Amino acid sequence: MRRAVLRSALLVAVASATVASGTDPPSGDWHDVRSLFAVGRFTDARELTAALTANDAATPQSLYWRFRLAESPAEAAELRRELLDAPDLGSPARNLLLADAAWQAFGAGDYAAAIASLEEIALGNGETAASTTLLGGLAWRARGDVARSRGALAAVPPGDPDYDRARYLLARLALADGEPALARRYLEMAGRTEDTPCRAEILLVDWMLAAETDPQYAIRLRRELEHRFSRSLPAALVAEQELRLEELQRSLEAPSASAHDSTPFGEESPAPATASGRYALQFAAFADRARALKFLDDWRERLPGLLISEVTDERGLTLYKLRAGSYPGMSQARDQAALLRASYDLDPLPVKADDSP
């Protein structure tokens, strides 16, 4: 740490010493260009670079500093290509340039080019960068190859600066695959330090896992997000999701509260055709009355206003339909159905309140 502080102080001192008073352009050598760059004096660094490259602009050092100081992405990309073609370019510099090219391609949405640049990086152990770096995992994931993405992310070793974020992304993949236990393990690996750069994202996924299984823990996670990361996107997503769930609960309770209160548990209720809305959500339909009652028992606390509607079809068969909600239009019913699909293991069907599909 002391050496780093001394080095920074020396860079500032050298930069100050190399700049003449008044409006004269800076003069010096490549060491001075580095010093000016280190203290953010990019205009002076460009002027000095232009003076130093006036006679020979093709040396690796000239190309490198022109690349670092380029103001146009197209110019930087062209200079990077020239540098990579230079025969005497060292392996460390080459790897840095390839990594830079990979990030630039990834940011531009050219994931194949990003992976191609990563695979040119020589690691010295027989593996390609696309199988061992965070960027490789992101690029494979963006291309839809989940297996390679998972392998790349899992290969990021402990101690690597990208380790926590790689484990967080693995947790997201596990969650998408319906493996909450695996997602939880990855989150625990990623969240071993409180100051991890992706702490807010980790809390978000943890909240998603706890929302249905451990409400009290979910509340603690939400409060930590609100307290520590109040302006973050994860905090906003959690707040929005909880607001939607509250609105859903109110919409399910209000139109059918009287019918729900007046019907003893286990008895069939009239279909919600008399409700003010023209549409409802149908969650299930059973020919077996016992199965319909079990569904009602399992879900009535999470779906307030859930009712059984007994209907006889044209063949004389009796069906027991589980419905809830009352919506003025099909679009509102579809919105609520989509929210329920995201929150529960349900697939409600929007139907007309007076229909018997």
Side-chain angles (χ1 to χ4, degrees), residues 28-346:
D29 54 18
W30 291 116
H31 176 75
D32 299 317
V33 172
R34 182 186 298 275
S35 301
L36 291 167
F37 184 88
V39 296
R41 298 180 58 176
F42 304 123
T43 300
D44 291 340
R46 289 188 188 98
E47 292 179 1
L48 181 53
T49 298
L52 292 171
T53 58
N55 297 324
D56 189 359
T59 64
Q61 190 158 229
S62 301
L63 290 170
Y64 172 77
W65 281 110
R66 288 167 58 205
F67 161 72
R68 292 291 301 275
L69 293 164
E71 297 182 82
S72 162
E75 179 189 3
E78 180 61 34
L79 289 166
R80 187 196 302 115
R81 281 192 291 269
E82 290 186 44
L83 269 169
L84 289 172
D85 290 338
D88 52 350
L89 184 67
S91 181
R94 181 179 179 81
N95 288 347
L96 287 173
L97 288 168
L98 287 168
D100 179 78
W103 278 110
Q104 292 291 332
F106 181 82
D110 191 348
Y111 309 122
I115 292 171
S117 292
L118 287 173
E119 290 179 333
E120 289 188 50
I121 296 177
L123 299 180
N125 57 3
E127 295 183 357
T128 62
S131 67
T132 57
T133 67
L134 172 67
L135 178 56
L138 290 171
W140 282 120
R141 182 184 180 191
R143 295 196 72 191
D145 195 329
V146 177
R148 286 189 176 184
S149 175
R150 187 179 288 111
L153 294 170
V156 177
D160 189 289
D162 294 328
Y163 178 82
D164 287 346
R165 186 163 293 277
R167 265 46 190 181
Y168 154 71
L169 292 170
L170 284 167
R172 292 297 301 265
L173 290 174
L175 194 61
D177 289 341
E179 301 180 77
L182 180 60
R184 175 78 65 190
R185 287 200 294 273
Y186 280 131
L187 286 180
E188 290 171 354
M189 297 166 71
R192 287 173 180 166
T193 58
E194 289 292 319
D195 58 349
T196 178
C198 56
R199 178 65 180 170
E201 289 83 355
I202 292 172
L203 290 172
L204 170 62
V205 178
D206 210 0
W207 177 86
M208 293 168 65
L209 288 167
E212 293 301 321
T213 59
D214 192 345
Q216 293 302 315
Y217 181 49
I219 290 173
R220 292 199 300 272
L221 293 169
R222 185 197 68 200
R223 288 175 178 170
E224 184 176 352
L225 270 171
E226 291 174 347
H227 177 68
R228 295 182 57 192
F229 308 100
S230 59
R231 296 173 181 254
S232 68
L233 179 59
L237 290 173
V238 169
E240 181 183 3
Q241 180 73 356
E242 293 202 338
L243 179 61
R244 287 186 178 181
L245 290 174
E246 290 173 4
E247 291 175 349
L248 171 64
Q249 184 169 348
R250 285 196 298 269
S251 69
L252 290 174
E253 286 176 343
S256 52
S258 59
H260 181 69
D261 293 340
S262 62
T263 305
F265 172 67
E267 296 187 9
E268 295 77 18
S269 305
T274 58
S276 59
R278 296 177 54 215
Y279 297 89
L281 295 180
Q282 180 168 302
F283 296 88
F286 301 98
D288 185 346
R289 181 173 179 272
R291 293 182 63 190
L293 291 173
K294 185 177 186 308
F295 187 96
L296 179 65
D297 188 26
D298 290 342
W299 288 95
R300 66 189 308 171
E301 289 187 3
R302 282 176 284 182
L303 300 173
L306 186 64
L307 303 172
I308 295 179
S309 174
E310 181 178 334
V311 178
T312 302
D313 66 14
E314 65 275 5
R315 297 169 296 175
L317 299 176
T318 300
L319 287 177
Y320 302 92
K321 300 172 187 271
L322 282 298
R323 292 181 175 178
S326 179
Y327 310 98
M330 178 61 81
S331 62
Q332 292 89 336
R334 285 173 177 165
D335 288 344
Q336 295 296 350
L339 182 58
L340 283 167
R341 289 189 193 99
S343 303
Y344 301 115
D345 186 19
L346 292 172

